[in-house]
Each structure stands twice: as structure tokens, then as C-alpha cells.
Amino acid sequence: MEEKKSIRGIPVAKVIPLRGIHKKVAENLVQSHLAAAGVTTFKEMDVTEIVRLKGQLAVRSDLPGGLKISYTHMMIKAIAHALREHLVLNSTLIGDEVHVFEDINIGMAVALPDGNLIVPVIHQADQKNILEIAQRALDLQERAKIRKLTLPDVQKGTFTLTNLGMVPEARWGTPLINQEQCAILETGAIRQIPVVKGGQVVIRWIITISMTYDHRIVNGVPVAHFMVTLAQILNDPAKLDWGINIHLNS
């Protein structure tokens, strides 16, 4: 049996080679972290109406192929709409120039079976309805798990969403910006908590948002305005054109 390596006399239980996708992602994130002036802003958002909308869609029999729409799909749609109103966050820094992208291409962090992450991209997400986003996202997730993604699937992202909501009680993080992007948004778990609304204590569904952005490109003011717009969409999704008929009553 091969003797396990030791560090400073401490026995090592397992050696995990850093190679392939894991190595490439690690290199890219280090380069991005060293290059960008990353700052993270945190906010809680009321998603009670989004929870209601998801419940409504879950029992719809008219969705193609029994399509299941997730919170991630809905967040991609909402983020893409908010970015269209705050396009400076959909940008990159080239030399001494900020290049603001016209296309809104949302990268979606996907966990692979080996624990690594890959970020396939939903291109022109703001021009897609919720069904198109869900279909594209599910296709990308399935092909990511069997390592069938192509280069175009992971290229040309302009903004990234990463979701920790599947981990119970996961709330805040400080996600690292992907290279050649301005910002990344991380969502935590959705949970019910008491809040004050209209002078009354009520139970609402709340999500935590952690957004890291490159302070060389924007300061906290544009980010705060983006957060307000996103919160308004999530609090009142009936105002957004999802591309399908919905019926929500406040």
C-alpha cells in the first residue's frame, strides 16, 4: 500500500489531485479575485408572491412536457429584467474602459457529481419567457452532469447566478466574480420569518441575497438601485411579463 503523504508531520487522510475542470476553475477564480476589487452587498428580499407563483405553476397541466419551473429559473428571469434597467452591472473592464454589454447572458452555477462547479450560460435571458429559460436551464444542467456541454454553452456570460438555496439554512456568502464580468449574485435558502408589514407582524417568505461586484466598475449606489428593482420584481411578480398567463392576488 502506498504510504500517505504528510504535511509538517500531520498524517494525511486523502490526497485529491487538482486537475481538469477543478484546476481550470481554481486558476480562473484566483485570477479574477486578484484582478477585481470585489465588494459584497447583502440584502433580504420578500419572495412571498414568488413562492405563491411557483405553487401556482406547479399544478399547471398546460406546461410543455410536464415542465417544472424552479426558483432558480424565476430568479434568472427576474435578474435579467433588473439588469436591463441597470445595464452598467452587465459589463466588464477592458484597460481603462468599462464595456457595457448589450446582450444579457446569465451564467448559472451547476454542481457536478464530483463536487466541482461549472457555469453554463443562458444567452439573451431577458428576451426569453420563463418556459424558455426553464427548458434551457434544465437542458444545460442535464448535459453538465454527463459532461456533454460544448464551448458555446459556457461562453459569453455577462453576469452569474449561484444558488445555495438547496442547503437548509444557507444564507449569506461572498461569491467570487467570474472573469470578465462585473458581478455575481448568490441566493440563500428561502425561509418563513415574522416581519413588520403595514404596521403588523406577519409571516412572510424571505430570501437572502449576497452580491459581489467589482468596485472598479461600480460603487454601492448602482448596486443598491439594482437590489431595489430586483426586490420589487420578487415582491410583485405580476408586474413582470413572464410570457405565460398568471393570476396572483395580493
Side-chain angles (χ1 to χ4, degrees), residues 67-202:
L67 185 66
K68 298 297 183 183
I69 294 174
S70 72
Y71 288 120
T72 295
H73 305 152
M74 300 171 83
M75 285 297 301
I76 290 170
K77 177 67 177 174
I79 289 169
H81 182 84
L83 282 175
R84 181 55 66 190
E85 295 189 22
H86 305 277
L87 207 53
V88 69
L89 292 168
N90 191 63
S91 64
T92 190
L93 186 64
I94 305 295
D96 58 358
E97 296 177 336
V98 174
H99 290 206
V100 179
F101 299 115
E102 174 62 30
D103 287 353
I104 294 176
N105 303 329
I106 306 295
M108 173 186 62
V110 175
L112 299 174
D114 61 5
N116 290 317
L117 288 176
I118 194 166
V119 185
V121 178
I122 299 179
H123 300 94
Q124 298 181 317
D126 61 315
Q127 298 181 31
K128 290 178 169 59
N129 63 41
I130 189 61
L131 299 181
E132 292 169 332
I133 287 174
Q135 289 168 330
R136 175 64 174 165
L138 290 168
D139 172 62
L140 290 170
Q141 288 172 321
E142 289 302 312
R143 288 193 288 116
K145 291 176 182 177
I146 58 174
R147 301 187 183 279
K148 293 295 184 181
L149 292 175
T150 64
L151 276 178
D153 290 328
V154 296
Q155 292 178 332
K156 298 184 179 180
T158 62
F159 188 98
T160 299
L161 168 66
T162 181
N163 175 26
L164 285 180
M166 72 292 294
V167 181
E169 296 304 315
R171 297 186 186 179
W172 310 107
T174 53
L176 295 178
I177 304 165
N178 279 313
Q179 282 195 84
E180 300 180 353
Q181 294 181 18
C182 175
I184 179 172
L185 187 148
E186 178 182 283
T187 55
I190 297 174
R191 68 198 194 284
Q192 283 186 301
I193 63 173
V195 299
V196 178
K197 187 176 177 67
Q200 301 293 322
V201 176
V202 295

Side-chain angles (χ1 to χ4, degrees), residues 16-27 114-117:
I16 303 174
L18 189 64
R19 59 192 176 198
I21 292 177
H22 191 185
K23 183 177 181 180
K24 185 64 176 178
V25 169
E27 291 172 348
D114 61 5
N116 290 317
L117 288 176

Side-chain angles (χ1 to χ4, degrees), residues 44-49 51-52 71 168-171 188-196 201-208:
E44 291 186 333
M45 297 187 186
D46 189 329
V47 290
T48 302
E49 296 304 317
V51 172
R52 186 182 302 182
Y71 288 120
E169 296 304 315
R171 297 186 186 179
I190 297 174
R191 68 198 194 284
Q192 283 186 301
I193 63 173
V195 299
V196 178
V201 176
V202 295
I203 302 298
R204 305 288 288 181
W205 289 98
I206 302 295
I207 193 171
T208 53

